[in-house]
Amino acid sequence: MTASEKTVADFWFDPQCPWAWMTSRWMLEVEKVRPVEVRWHVMSLAVLNENKLDEIPGEYREALLPGGSAWVSVRVCIAAAKKHGPEVLGALYTALGTRFHVQGLPRDRATIEAALVEAGLPVELADAGYTDAFDEELRASHQEGIDKVGQDVGTPVIAVPGADGEQVAFFGPVVTPAPKGEAAARLWDGTLLVASTPGFYEIKRTRTQGPIFD
């Protein structure tokens, strides 16, 4: 099967978000069990929340402040995509997310450099995390996802084909642990089903447990 015969799912992530990480692991599983190609894009919780920092609790707010860790990792990702092509984002996201969420490593330069090495990218890309040189591209990538899904969301955002072939975007699905095998396939099939339903917007319930990193 060629890439053109696969269903494309566009996925916007911020490496900081544990829930985006869970959903991304589900999407990697979907690629194994359905003819799907995930295209990775960067969105930014720091950009999303920059005008409402007063509403954010302490430890999360600190990361979102200018120069905070939430700016660093997305800047590195967008610089990698700009210099080496968007196809490097999947491997870099996996390397970063494994360290951030599974291993619980500090979200500092040393961790980012190790992730870059694992993804086969130059460690010098870590420099981009501490400058605004790629912020225009970061904001454009972020806005592309927001334009598809609307303002009242977080990360992740996925965009999949709807009833008329045009993409429909959603926040989520938010799920833990990430489904495997046929369970992953069923959730994917359901996602396509609701995307093909005109006027469908939301299913939601209160979360009663945190992310399970297995």
Side-chain angles (χ1 to χ4, degrees), residues 28-36 180-182 184-186 188:
L28 290 181
E29 190 72 11
V30 170
E31 284 189 317
K32 300 175 184 177
V33 294
R34 289 290 187 268
V36 171
K180 305 290 194 300
E182 187 56 27
R186 287 196 303 269
W188 170 252

Side-chain angles (χ1 to χ4, degrees), residues 19 22 26 175-180 209-214:
W19 293 106
M22 301 305 301
W26 162 65
V175 61
T176 188
K180 305 290 194 300
Q209 64 182 43
I212 300 171
F213 304 119
D214 57 349

